[in-house]
Amino acid sequence: MKSFHIITFGCQMNEHDSERMSGILQSQGLVPAATVDDAEMVILNTCSIREKAEQKFYSELGRLAHLKGRDGKRITIAVAGCIAQQEGKKLLSRTPSVDLVIGPSDIARLSDMVAQQKDGGRPVVETGGDPEYHHKPVPVARTDGLKAWVSIMYGCDNFCTYCVVPYLRGRERSRLPRDIVAEIQGLADRGYREITFLGQNVNSYGKGLESACSFPALLRLAQEVDGIERIRFVTSHPRDLSEGLISAIRDLPKVCESIHLPVQSGSDRVLASMNRRYTSDEYRDKVQRLRNVVPSVSLTTDIIVGFPGEGDEDFAMTLQILQDVQFDTIFAFKYSKRPNTRALDLPKHVPEKVKEERLEQVFSLQKDITLLKNRRHVGTLQEVLVEGESRKGGTLTGRTRGNMAVNFAGTRHLKGSLVKVRITAAGPNSLSGELCE
């Protein structure tokens, strides 16, 4: 086996896990293939958070199973990620073409699993979870030479009733601060300019560490690394948004004024049923405190519509919180039934048609809010990290500190630079501007 191809479903954590698996395989002499057809091994890195991602995975797996053995093609099929953890050996009976099944916390064992499967010729399953995975150095083959994800913790302790993460990725484990700082320093030495800390709830970073280190303290350590110009993070739980973190966003020059703070619903009754452990007014209060201290902060959120028991009045409260808070951008989804979650047993599941109608209303309302927010940037001077040429061609693209995409004329040698751009126009998805000398 000499080549591999990874197909990734789901969130940034899965994208980063794919970078780790790629790094492990490349360290063993394998080379990435551009397409499935060119690969001798295909890894499907799966997501089980929402039903749609799971459906996409099974569709792709069926296509690969059909490809395997056709015209004499020999291909090793591996399933990684949350569905691998969720299904384990059951995947082998459902799809006999699968050769490897590896859970998110077992990635460090990938090269051994490949060798074991090759020697024995039988499927290999590793979903037991490595309790020391968060402390192990794993090679990473990053796909971007400018921005990098850095995992600071794994797992989740919140047990929201709709979410499978605590069951599939385990309880919270924090990486050691010195290991995180060493990784950041290595990225800076290689020319990276921006890092994004990853965790299911970065606000609770530090649990289980022998020497206390809060998330704001970790941000201060990262601030001291020369070469890194910007620091971002996802995701923050509203219940744990502390005054210390708000102050860190204000006081640390490298920490961008941008935060993703999932509200999920505007109804206190639904929030309680979700086990979110805050009320809509408590959420509003935290947002107001954040904006009082950091007026320029960009705020994004997640919304779930059609949660079991969500009535018309509950949904109206969700629309109201969108109006009240005025998010810059939202990510909205229909509630999905997920195995092993408590929400499955809740009464009054919402019909699919109603969920679709509500989702459309949310998107329609937010489209107007986002456009209004974007237009407020017209005439302002924004610091932009240049990422390269835009997809449209002829212009450069980059992002503001608030994480808004900006397109402007300039030469490609500016890639990786921090430049000043005056915003001249705003659309629903991006800004346009002029480069200032």
Side-chain angles (χ1 to χ4, degrees):
M1 187 189 305
K2 296 180 180 179
S3 60
F4 68 93
H5 183 79
I6 302 177
I7 300 173
T8 307
F9 304 87
C11 64
Q12 298 101 323
M13 297 194 77
N14 263 22
E15 293 281 356
H16 189 40
D17 284 346
S18 291
E19 291 180 335
R20 288 168 173 257
M21 288 188 285
S22 180
I24 290 169
L25 294 175
Q26 289 188 55
S27 71
Q28 298 298 310
L30 279 72
V31 296
T35 67
V36 167
D37 292 332
D38 298 325
E40 295 165 275
M41 176 182 184
V42 177
I43 301 176
L44 300 174
N45 192 10
T46 63
C47 174
S48 184
I49 300 300
R50 296 181 182 87
E51 187 177 16
K52 188 174 182 180
E54 191 167 329
Q55 291 171 344
K56 286 182 178 180
F57 155 67
Y58 278 113
S59 175
E60 186 63 35
L61 181 58
R63 190 178 76 84
L64 286 175
H66 180 70
L67 178 66
K68 189 172 184 176
R70 191 180 69 187
D71 300 326
K73 183 175 180 62
R74 301 185 65 179
I75 182 174
T76 298
I77 299 177
V79 179
C82 288
I83 294 178
Q85 185 68 42
Q86 175 181 294
E87 299 297 321
K89 290 182 179 180
K90 290 187 290 185
L91 271 172
L92 303 181
S93 57
R94 179 168 180 171
T95 312
S97 58
V98 173
D99 301 292
L100 299 172
V101 180
I102 180 169
S105 296
D106 297 282
I107 286 175
R109 300 168 175 162
L110 178 58
S111 58
D112 292 337
M113 290 177 64
V114 172
Q116 184 181 346
Q117 196 277 329
K118 184 178 180 181
D119 292 341
R122 300 174 62 181
V124 179
V125 178
E126 285 281 5
T127 57
D130 183 349
E132 295 299 313
Y133 173 63
H134 58 299
H135 291 320
K136 292 183 176 178
V138 176
V140 181
R142 301 184 187 274
T143 55
D144 188 312
L146 183 65
K147 303 185 296 180
W149 291 309
V150 176
S151 289
I152 64 171
M153 59 187 298
Y154 300 92
C156 183
D157 287 350
N158 285 308
F159 289 93
C160 299
T161 58
Y162 53 82
C163 186
V164 296
V165 167
Y167 308 101
L168 302 181
R169 289 187 176 264
R171 304 298 292 270
E172 290 179 3
R173 296 96 69 203
S174 297
R175 292 180 64 200
L176 295 172
R178 66 170 181 265
D179 292 342
I180 296 170
V181 172
E183 182 176 350
I184 299 170
Q185 185 62 66
L187 290 166
D189 293 343
R190 289 157 52 197
Y192 284 83
R193 307 297 302 279
E194 178 179 302
I195 59 167
T196 299
F197 284 145
L198 293 181
Q200 297 296 337
N201 179 17
V202 293
N203 295 355
S204 61
Y205 170 81
K207 284 185 180 179
L209 295 177
E210 292 184 4
S211 298
C213 181
S214 66
F215 183 54
L218 181 65
L219 290 173
R220 287 192 288 272
L221 291 174
Q223 167 75 30
E224 299 304 314
V225 178
D226 291 336
I228 298 298
E229 299 290 346
R230 285 183 172 181
I231 302 168
R232 302 187 188 276
F233 53 87
V234 287
T235 294
S236 294
H237 193 291
R239 181 174 58 92
D240 299 322
L241 179 63
S242 67
E243 294 297 329
L245 178 54
I246 293 173
S247 297
I249 298 173
R250 177 194 62 196
D251 297 337
L252 300 178
K254 294 181 182 179
V255 177
C256 291
E257 299 83 2
S258 174
I259 187 168
H260 186 65
L261 199 65
V263 65
Q264 305 299 6
S265 174
S267 163
D268 290 346
R269 192 178 66 82
V270 172
L271 288 172
S273 186
M274 290 177 167
N275 193 37
R276 292 294 286 174
R277 290 177 284 180
Y278 55 82
T279 66
S280 59
D281 281 343
E282 288 171 343
Y283 184 94
R284 288 181 176 91
D285 180 62
K286 292 211 173 188
V287 168
Q288 190 58 55
R289 284 152 57 197
L290 173 64
R291 285 176 167 162
N292 286 342
V293 175
V294 191
S296 62
V297 69
S298 172
L299 185 64
T300 61
T301 199
D302 292 339
I303 296 288
I304 296 175
V305 301
F307 189 76
E310 181 189 74
D312 290 341
E313 185 177 347
D314 298 305
F315 177 64
M317 293 175 183
T318 293
L319 296 179
Q320 187 61 53
I321 205 166
L322 291 179
Q323 290 276 25
D324 293 346
V325 176
Q326 297 280 299
F327 296 100
D328 291 79
T329 305
I330 67 168
F331 301 88
F333 311 91
K334 297 179 293 183
Y335 164 74
S336 292
K337 295 179 179 179
R338 298 288 79 205
N340 302 317
T341 60
R342 285 184 285 161
L344 278 176
D345 299 324
L346 292 175
K348 299 181 180 179
H349 279 253
V350 178
E352 192 67 21
K353 183 178 179 181
V354 174
K355 288 193 284 188
E356 291 174 356
E357 290 171 350
R358 290 177 178 172
L359 185 64
E360 182 58 35
Q361 288 184 64
V362 164
F363 281 136
S364 178
L365 172 59
Q366 184 59 40
K367 182 179 179 181
D368 293 337
I369 294 172
T370 295
L371 184 57
L372 178 63
K373 298 276 286 188
N374 289 352
R375 284 174 174 167
R376 290 175 181 171
H377 293 297
V378 173
T380 65
L381 197 63
Q382 297 287 331
E383 178 192 87
V384 175
L385 177 61
V386 184
E387 298 178 0
E389 294 181 286
S390 70
R391 294 178 181 177
K392 297 179 180 179
T395 59
L396 297 178
T397 189
R399 288 192 175 267
T400 67
R401 292 179 63 88
N403 211 26
M404 275 298 302
V406 183
N407 299 306
F408 58 97
T411 56
R412 65 176 66 178
H413 81 275
L414 289 173
K415 181 177 179 179
S417 302
L418 288 173
V419 299
K420 295 292 185 180
V421 176
R422 189 170 301 281
I423 305 304
T424 56
N429 301 311
S430 64
L431 308 173
S432 298
E434 296 175 343
L435 181 65
C436 297
E437 297 297 334

